Amino acid sequence: MNPLLAAGNYAALVAEMTAEEKADLLTGHRMWRTGAVERMDIPAVVMTDGTYGVRYSIPQIDGDVRPGQDFESFLQVVGRKANEVEATWGEMRPATCFPNGSSLACSWDVDLARAMGEALGAECREYGVNILLGPGINIRRTPLGGRSYEYFSEDPILTGDLAAGMIEGIQSRGVGTSLKHFACNNSEVERTSMDSIVDMRALREIYFLGFERAIAKAEPWTVMSSYNRLNGVQAAEDSWLLTQVLRGEWGFAGLVMSDWHGIKDRSASMVAGNDLDMPETETRKADLLAAIRDGTLPAAVVDLACQRVLALVRRCLLALEVPSAPVDWDAHHRLARQIAAESIVLLKNEDAILPIPTTGRRRILVVGACAVEPVIQGSGCATTTPTRTDIPLDEIRALAGTDTVVDYQPGYAMDAEGFNPALAQAAVAAADDADHVLLFVNAAVGWDGEGSDRRSLALSPGHDELVQMLAAAYPRLTVIIASPDAVVMPWIDRAPAVVETFFSGQATGGAIADILFGRANPSGKLTTSFPMTLESVPGHLHYPGENGRHHYSEGLFVGYRSYDSRGDSLLFPFGHGLSYTRFAYADLRIDQEEIWPGDDLTLSFDVSNVGARAGKEVCQVYLRYGTPRLRRPVHELKGFQKVALEPGETRRVSIAIAARDLCYFDPDRAEWMIDDDLLTVEVGASSRDIRLEAPVRSVSPMGRYRRIDWDTQPTFVLDNPIARAGFRAFLSERTGASGEDADRMLEHCRNSFFGILTTLANRLRQTITPTEIQPVLDSINRQVRDAEQAELERHRAEVATRAA
Ligand code: BGC
């Protein structure tokens, strides 16, 4: 390594570089490397996808596929099923296919996400990969989203915490991450040009929050800008997004890279703070070089971006000093099985038909081709070539017990579209004298994935009909679903047991068997709501946008924030998931009765396992608002903890909510705020199963009075003592009236719905221009802010005195 690089003296290095070398460094090399500068002994670093498994294309990474050629194969991969990727990208090195994002997230277990990250990091090290291009954490605002299977949740707190765990895990192994796709790439429709039109509160409170949280907690080495436009600006070229918010407000100190071919105007992206353009393209590189040479791009901008690439390269090289043992692939497979088992969600279990006993003679009928060809992952760029795949049917046979007969019927053909009457009929006939029928179904694979959203929330064509038929013929049916996100279940009332696996990786088969036979007690809970119909999804009426613009018309009210605020019926609510044991909650306590701006909140409660099996409960904390100043969802998730309990065991759970998490973003003040309000802390087993609640008062002098303008309605002036005094003094001076008379004049304006100046002019013949009043308004607004601050400081001083 160059000694200046080793010493971190990036400025000196950049000063020695030619324009060509700078363009090389800022453009990357081929598909998966940064550009090396051999003359200066600056090596390249290697990056690859993805979010739940390492995808290593041998020809693309070890070979030297030229730009252009790779563009073609890159295009072809999108929309491809995982097992077809090799056809276009050449031989892959096998790697563990862990549960995909939407599956892993149902574990609600940050430690498990960290463990998965450590394993991913170790596999990267094994293959010489310096940066893994993940995790992808866009909010799942519609279950149609093609990349839902990669992403964690409809909730940003859960998303941010899981992402932080995963980033910490990967980076602890000396491998960098790329938190993606920043921001608002929530649909695959016209993915590189669609303009996501999102209001400021929704941006801050929903779409940015997961990124902000993960960055604050885990400092990913890089962030990847997204393909779409955001409020009119291409995300990779958006200075407000990439410089003002990401670096300025959040203090992100790492590198920003583009999504693959996501930059349209290279110079604009440089100025905006998108340092690295991936992958290498001759045209964009030539544009960059020309702009560096002719000075259209300021040298300072170019040099700063070069420094950031160099810092990343140095970080990658130094990280290699973190020791890494050879990968134990069997151990990683076992970990994949454990994570899958912790993530599978038992949605319904009437009459406790699950778990299936493993003693005694019985006959189990397994139906469904995907019990033999399991759907373990979605499609597109994120896919992995698994080291091996557990076959559910085999794993069921292995655990069923020696006296049990396990029969199999395909029920449908895996790749054929539509209902197959002959196969369905054979399955129904075989179900006749079975003790248990386990039906494996899935949502359409291949279409749903990168590059294309799903077209409906139905299962694969023909699968719903098969469930209906079997459910009608056989009362003790268990339906096992593999899907990227929510599906609708027109047959739900007739199926007594339903298990949702999402796409849970190469060990899905073993994990399902563990759950079905009770070797693992289900503990996964949904991280998105399952709606009754597609049409009831918030924002659906504006999906997928028109004329290139997609209005996020539901604003803040994404997922349960809408369903719970409206009281809509749901198939299954956010946070729902059953266990083979039961949990009881008691004795909620909050460490303070009152919170002020800047105060954290800590609560504690007991949770007990009151059933007969060891199990884990995901305890969820929501905050319900009383009469907020700006509209808020009825309640929002603020914290969670997964607790392992032996039968009869009770634990005291303590959860801290950071001051910032109690706030909403006021776009007018551009500030995070709390209100004067009576809040309710709710503790529960899902967003619709609240078991405990306790009040807490929030007190805030901030924002009690609105900003006063020349056209503010008189009533708001009158109710604000500072504004009232300001106007009174102004009127009195101008008209010579006494203070009391001036005040009476103002009071006389109270019932007017016109602005204060219009009312004074028309009712009292006091014609005042906006320019004349402006100094008064400025002074009022300043005094109001000062008074707020003073009250807050007085309170803090009192608290300090009391504590001393
Ligand atoms: C995807 C990214 C991925 C990149 C490289 C893009 O199409 O959006 O998530 O990291 O390709 O494969």
Side-chain angles (χ1 to χ4, degrees):
M1 186 185 353
N2 181 309
L4 287 175
L5 183 63
N9 194 346
Y10 312 121
L13 269 179
V14 175
E16 284 178 28
M17 283 182 179
T18 64
E20 286 82 358
E21 285 164 345
K22 291 180 185 176
D24 281 347
L25 201 62
L26 298 174
T27 304
H29 176 75
R30 311 299 197 226
M31 281 280 272
W32 307 110
R33 280 192 165 76
T34 57
V37 184
E38 273 161 28
R39 178 182 73 85
M40 297 174 77
D41 195 16
I42 297 167
V45 296
V46 177
M47 54 191 97
T48 195
D49 287 307
T51 58
Y52 56 85
V54 183
R55 191 206 41 220
Y56 194 104
S57 156
I58 296 172
Q60 287 187 4
I61 299 181
D62 299 348
D64 201 21
V65 180
R66 296 189 57 73
Q69 217 172 313
D70 57 16
F71 187 75
E72 286 312 313
S73 56
F74 188 67
L75 274 181
Q76 283 167 26
V77 150
V78 169
R80 289 272 179 150
K81 285 191 212 170
N83 57 9
E84 297 164 352
V85 168
E86 269 184 270
T88 45
W89 282 23
E91 194 189 341
M92 301 280 166
R93 293 204 184 179
T96 310
C97 176
F98 285 98
N100 301 187
S102 69
S103 158
L104 162 73
C106 292
S107 72
W108 292 65
D109 190 334
V110 176
D111 293 333
L112 213 52
R114 190 178 296 108
M116 181 167 139
E118 288 164 0
L120 287 168
E123 295 191 15
C124 284
R125 287 296 293 276
E126 178 98 359
Y127 288 158
V129 171
N130 304 96
I131 298 163
L132 190 64
L133 300 172
I137 64 161
N138 296 74
I139 290 291
R140 284 154 59 192
R141 71 177 277 266
T142 163
L144 292 179
R147 301 186 78 175
S148 278
Y149 80 93
E150 290 179 63
Y151 301 150
F152 293 143
S153 176
E154 68 190 20
D155 182 85
I157 296 237
L158 180 55
T159 292
D161 286 2
L162 290 167
M166 174 156 300
I167 292 166
E168 281 165 11
I170 296 172
Q171 294 188 169
S172 73
R173 292 298 181 259
V175 173
T177 55
S178 196
L179 187 63
K180 66 191 188 181
H181 309 84
F182 191 55
C184 293
N185 198 170
N186 309 92
S187 152
E188 293 298 282
V189 177
E190 298 170 31
R191 64 197 293 234
T192 62
S193 56
M194 189 61 86
D195 192 359
S196 302
I197 308 291
V198 193
D199 73 66
M200 187 53 73
R201 282 193 68 197
L203 273 183
R204 298 286 186 160
E205 295 180 40
I206 307 289
Y207 297 99
F208 286 0
L209 189 60
F211 285 92
E212 186 182 5
R213 208 172 166 82
I215 288 168
K217 290 189 175 199
E219 296 183 22
W221 296 1
T222 79
V223 164
M224 189 188 290
S225 58
S226 59
Y227 274 145
N228 52 293
R229 291 187 168 87
L230 174 58
N231 291 330
V233 185
Q234 196 70 43
E237 297 158 18
D238 188 340
S239 309
W240 175 74
L241 183 70
L242 303 181
T243 296
Q244 190 175 321
V245 174
L246 177 66
R247 298 188 199 277
E249 293 179 26
W250 301 350
F252 174 69
L255 170 132
V256 176
M257 70 172 82
S258 67
D259 198 348
W260 267 229
H261 301 291
I263 290 175
K264 293 178 182 167
D265 177 335
R266 183 58 180 123
S267 290
S269 74
M270 283 291 299
V271 172
N274 196 122
D275 310 302
L276 180 62
D277 177 3
M278 288 301 293
E280 182 183 2
T281 353
E282 280 152 7
T283 45
R284 286 195 306 269
K285 192 165 169 180
D287 289 349
L288 176 62
L289 184 57
I292 296 176
R293 281 206 178 119
D294 67 18
T296 25
L297 263 177
V301 169
V302 175
D303 291 356
L304 181 60
C306 287
Q307 291 192 30
R308 293 199 188 114
V309 179
L310 291 173
L312 177 68
V313 171
R314 176 171 180 270
R315 204 169 198 178
C316 291
L317 298 179
L318 293 182
L320 296 178
E321 288 165 15
V322 176
S324 81
V327 169
D328 178 344
W329 300 100
D330 290 336
H332 283 194
H333 184 76
R334 285 195 297 276
L335 176 65
R337 180 166 176 160
Q338 182 201 341
I339 300 173
E342 297 254 356
S343 305
I344 287 173
V345 185
L346 179 62
L347 290 173
K348 187 175 173 189
N349 191 21
E350 258 171 23
D351 304 327
I353 68 169
L354 293 178
I356 303 169
T358 48
T359 50
R361 293 180 66 81
R362 61 191 77 237
R363 181 171 165 262
I364 296 175
L365 175 68
V366 174
V367 182
C370 68
V372 178
E373 275 182 72
V375 183
I376 64 168
Q377 57 181 328
S379 62
C381 283
T383 51
T384 303
T385 300
T387 57
R388 63 174 115 147
T389 302
D390 284 355
I391 304 303
L393 180 60
D394 296 347
E395 301 297 328
I396 289 168
R397 287 197 164 123
L399 294 192
T402 40
D403 289 339
T404 295
V405 176
V406 179
D407 289 329
Y408 168 70
Q409 283 289 330
Y412 50 86
M414 200 60 191
D415 280 323
E417 294 253 309
F419 182 64
N420 183 321
L423 291 178
Q425 207 47 61
V428 169
D432 207 23
D433 63 342
D435 298 292
H436 288 273
V437 174
L438 306 173
L439 170 57
F440 285 76
V441 291
N442 60 266
V445 201
W447 180 266
D448 56 307
E450 193 173 337
S452 44
D453 283 0
R454 288 157 82 194
R455 287 167 290 190
S456 85
L457 298 187
L459 296 175
S460 280
H463 289 207
D464 281 314
E465 289 95 314
L466 179 62
V467 185
Q468 307 265 28
M469 250 178 98
L470 265 170
Y474 180 83
R476 288 171 62 79
L477 180 67
T478 297
V479 183
I480 299 136
I481 304 170
S483 62
D485 200 324
V487 291
V488 288
M489 305 178 194
W491 36 259
I492 188 65
D493 293 337
R494 309 188 81 163
V498 182
V499 176
E500 170 64 79
T501 66
F502 298 95
F503 295 158
S504 52
Q506 67 180 45
T508 305
I512 292 174
D514 290 342
I515 293 288
L516 293 174
F517 294 106
R519 266 181 42 150
N521 191 348
S523 63
K525 297 209 182 194
L526 295 179
T527 64
T528 54
S529 314
F530 273 38
M532 295 293 246
T533 62
L534 174 59
E535 292 68 28
S536 64
V537 172
H540 185 69
L541 296 181
H542 291 91
Y543 172 89
E546 55 195 17
N547 288 338
R549 289 160 64 87
H550 188 168
H551 249 278
Y552 286 27
S553 55
E554 76 286 15
L556 283 178
F557 296 89
V558 175
Y560 71 87
R561 285 172 167 77
S562 167
Y563 299 119
D564 291 0
S565 298
R566 291 174 190 263
D568 288 346
S569 302
L570 284 168
L571 193 52
F572 297 105
F574 176 83
H576 168 78
L578 304 173
S579 165
Y580 297 146
T581 186
R582 284 170 298 113
F583 301 98
Y585 290 73
D587 194 21
L588 171 59
R589 290 194 207 156
I590 302 178
D591 70 346
Q592 62 261 68
E593 283 164 12
E594 191 177 281
I595 48 162
W596 280 65
D599 290 347
D600 302 334
L601 184 75
T602 305
L603 57 114
S604 59
F605 55 91
D606 286 339
V607 57
S608 310
N609 182 344
V610 293
R613 282 170 185 262
K616 290 185 181 175
E617 170 72 333
V618 175
C619 308
Q620 301 158 43
V621 177
Y622 296 84
L623 196 61
R624 194 167 83 221
Y625 309 106
T627 47
R629 190 171 66 88
L630 302 191
R631 192 176 272 270
R632 299 185 85 168
V634 66
H635 66 176
E636 292 178 291
L637 182 77
K638 295 295 170 186
F640 57 93
Q641 200 165 307
K642 191 164 192 176
V643 188
L645 293 163
E646 292 299 319
E649 187 183 352
T650 295
R651 284 222 199 163
R652 186 102 195 131
V653 176
S654 172
I655 292 180
I657 306 176
R660 231 311 281 288
D661 295 338
L662 300 164
C663 297
Y664 61 93
F665 187 82
D666 181 333
D668 279 0
R669 295 174 61 117
E671 263 176 66
W672 289 91
M673 310 195 42
I674 64 167
D675 288 330
D676 279 327
D677 197 7
L678 184 61
L679 309 173
T680 306
V681 172
E682 302 177 330
V683 175
S686 84
S687 85
R688 295 277 174 103
D689 183 7
I690 301 302
R691 307 284 184 87
L692 304 170
E693 48 179 67
V696 61
R697 176 152 289 287
S698 73
V699 183
S700 175
M702 318 314 249
R704 273 186 200 146
Y705 300 114
R706 68 174 58 202
R707 224 192 114 71
I708 304 293
D709 258 308
W710 71 269
D711 64 345
T712 299
Q713 266 181 253
T715 180
F716 298 114
V717 175
L718 284 156
D719 290 347
N720 171 341
I722 293 173
R724 185 170 185 148
F727 269 87
R728 187 175 53 211
F730 176 82
L731 276 181
S732 160
E733 198 189 309
R734 188 187 160 93
T735 61
S738 70
E740 264 178 35
D741 286 345
D743 199 65
R744 261 195 290 278
M745 287 159 81
L746 285 170
E747 191 58 58
H748 196 54
C749 297
R750 186 185 282 280
N751 70 351
S752 164
F753 50 75
F754 294 102
I756 181 83
L757 293 198
T758 308
T759 309
L760 283 168
N762 288 286
R763 187 167 276 172
L764 299 168
R765 295 174 191 270
Q766 293 297 330
T767 307
I768 304 163
T769 65
T771 324
E772 255 176 289
I773 202 74
Q774 195 56 46
V776 178
L777 298 174
D778 290 344
S779 155
I780 290 172
N781 290 321
R782 199 172 332 108
Q783 286 180 61
V784 169
R785 290 289 186 116
D786 290 348
E788 290 177 347
Q789 202 53 42
E791 190 178 336
L792 187 59
E793 271 152 30
R794 249 190 333 273
H795 164 76
R796 287 190 179 144
E798 269 170 41
V799 172
T801 318
R802 256 182 274 140

